[in-house]
């Protein structure tokens, strides 16, 4: 391995940039606010939401947390979102997923104003990503692109393989690499010859959700390997990539933990700042 791509260092750089951006807005008398909604008691979601709140506080972003009980009705949640859509001091709205089963996730996401949809999950924002004209990008793929940029890894003309086709990671990840002129293949559970396709990648992004799924025989010598996985094995966090074997072949690789994970929150902070700028007609 030549290089370990350190998400802690790169996310700190992004957060510093956001902190400065927030200060500049504050100097103009503009505040930046993020509302985070959580429904129910999912322990992992609670940790994510607490981390988002902490990041806001560190960067001067005002965070409002709405912790709703498990039995919240669809109407109650829609009413809250309606209120937050109209609230001037709130620039971004995030509804932590997954929602309890009795709530219609699609309907809830679609009810968030696209201008305040800092997750970039609303179909308007998804469509904008498709045509390459976007303000918000889902935080995880945005974080991956930021890592490649920071490490001066040029995507143009490269063979890029993304494993996983989720709406949150795989699909937007493919689009972002394509916008940077990568030649992109998105693989999934029905892909034939997965090993051969992965072995052709100059840049390999693993977003499968299966611990140690990517092994050394699936990786080309000198490839850049980005591990989006967040799996728990015996209580221990591990990625989708078998790090000990793959790191010997890769020219650069992200670890888990300390890789893509810290980038996700940093990019959420960036999207929130962008939302505040747009809502106040400030460019940049
Ligand atoms: N649950 C897991 N990841 C995410 C995310 O990025 N955004 C939201 N809203 N919920 C999530």
């Amino acid at each position: 391995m030549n290089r370990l791509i350190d998400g802690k260092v790169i996310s700190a750089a992004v957060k510093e940039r956001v902190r400065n951006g927030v200060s500049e807005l504050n100097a103009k008398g503009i505040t930046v606010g993020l509302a985070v909604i959580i429904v129910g008691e999912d322990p992992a979601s609670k940790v994510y939401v607490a981390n988002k709140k902490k990041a806001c506080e560190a960067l001067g972003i005002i965070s409002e947390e709405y912790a709703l009980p498990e039995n919240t009705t669809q109407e109650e949640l829609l009413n809250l979102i309606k209120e937050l859509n109209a609230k001037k001091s709130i620039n971004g709205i995030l509804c932590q997923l997954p929602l309890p089963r009795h709530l219609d996730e699609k309907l809830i996401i679609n009810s968030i104003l696209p201008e305040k949809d800092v997750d970039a999950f609303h179909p308007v924002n998804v469509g904008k990503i498709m045509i390459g004209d976007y303000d918000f990008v889902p935080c995880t793929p945005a974080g991956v692109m930021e890592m490649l940029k920071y490490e001066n890894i040029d995507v143009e003309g490269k063979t890029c393989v993304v494993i996983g086709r989720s709406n949150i990671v795989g699909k937007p990840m493919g689009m972002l690499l394509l916008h940077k002129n990568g030649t992109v293949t998105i693989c999934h559970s029905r892909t034939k010859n997965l090993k051969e396709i992965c072995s052709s990648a100059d840049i390999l992004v693993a977003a499968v959700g299966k611990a140690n799924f990517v092994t050394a025989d699936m990786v080309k010598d000198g490839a850049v390997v980005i591990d989006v996985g967040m799996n728990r094995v015996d209580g221990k966090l591990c990625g989708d990539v078998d790090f000990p074997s793959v790191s010997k072949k890769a020219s650069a690789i992200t670890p888990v933990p300390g890789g893509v994970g810290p980038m996700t929150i940093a990019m959420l902070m960036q999207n929130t700042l962008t939302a505040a700028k747009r809502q106040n007609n400030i460019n940049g």
Side-chain angles (χ1 to χ4, degrees):
M1 176 182 58
N2 292 319
R3 246 193 299 177
L4 187 72
I5 305 178
D6 189 336
K8 281 179 278 184
V9 169
I10 306 170
S11 64
V14 171
K15 286 198 262 186
E16 187 54 31
R17 206 167 66 205
V18 174
R19 196 195 329 269
N20 292 334
V22 173
S23 299
E24 280 173 28
L25 290 191
N26 289 165
K28 293 183 166 80
I30 299 165
T31 58
V32 181
L34 174 68
V36 179
I37 305 169
I38 177 168
V39 185
E41 302 295 327
D42 181 62
S45 290
K46 279 186 167 177
V47 173
Y48 292 140
V49 166
N51 288 340
K52 286 167 187 173
K53 192 173 168 187
K54 234 188 288 173
C56 283
E57 279 163 9
L59 306 187
I61 295 174
I62 297 159
S63 76
E64 290 185 5
E65 187 184 329
Y66 296 85
L68 308 180
E70 182 85 23
N71 62 358
T72 299
T73 66
Q74 185 125 300
E75 199 190 351
E76 285 167 332
L77 183 52
L78 287 171
N79 280 340
L80 171 62
I81 291 172
K82 201 170 158 191
E83 210 177 284
L84 295 170
N85 279 341
K87 193 168 179 177
K88 272 267 180 304
S89 62
I90 289 298
N91 307 105
I93 303 169
L94 180 146
C95 185
Q96 188 66 28
L97 304 179
L99 287 167
R101 281 234 295 271
H102 67 281
L103 298 170
D104 181 345
E105 213 159 87
K106 203 156 83 176
L107 191 76
I108 302 298
I109 287 169
N110 292 4
S111 73
I112 296 174
L113 264 187
E115 303 91 281
K116 295 193 176 185
D117 168 39
V118 284
D119 265 326
F121 292 169
H122 190 288
V124 165
N125 288 322
V126 174
K128 282 173 158 243
I129 293 164
M130 187 81 171
I131 58 175
D133 170 25
Y134 47 83
D135 291 322
F136 305 132
V137 182
C139 303
T140 301
V144 172
M145 295 311 286
E146 191 68 32
M147 291 177 122
L148 295 176
K149 189 171 149 198
Y150 188 94
E151 296 288 333
N152 292 315
I153 296 165
D154 195 10
V155 175
E156 180 148 331
K158 300 274 171 63
T159 299
C160 304
V161 175
V162 179
I163 321 174
R165 57 172 157 182
S166 71
N167 290 331
I168 295 179
V169 183
K171 285 184 207 165
M173 187 75 253
M175 290 313 303
L176 296 185
L177 291 164
L178 185 61
H179 292 322
K180 290 288 177 197
N181 298 319
T183 303
V184 178
T185 303
I186 300 180
C187 299
H188 47 79
S189 55
R190 307 288 169 89
T191 298
K192 291 189 175 130
N193 306 323
L194 182 69
K195 186 172 141 185
E196 284 71 26
I197 296 168
C198 290
S199 305
S200 74
D202 301 310
I203 299 173
L204 180 63
V205 181
V208 215
K210 288 186 185 152
N212 305 322
F213 181 83
V214 176
T215 46
D217 57 331
M218 297 164 74
V219 176
K220 181 162 89 174
D221 266 322
V224 172
V225 179
I226 308 287
D227 190 350
V228 177
M230 289 255 263
N231 311 294
R232 291 240 166 233
V233 176
D234 300 328
K236 210 174 140 222
L237 192 63
C238 77
D240 290 346
V241 175
D242 179 43
F243 189 89
S245 68
V246 173
S247 59
K248 291 193 184 98
K249 282 182 107 176
S251 62
I253 187 167
T254 64
V256 177
V260 176
M263 295 303 297
T264 302
I265 290 190
M267 302 320 287
L268 171 67
M269 299 295 110
Q270 180 163 299
N271 280 348
T272 306
L273 173 62
T274 301
K277 284 185 178 175
R278 293 283 173 272
Q279 286 158 36
N280 288 281
N281 299 313
I282 294 168
N283 292 324

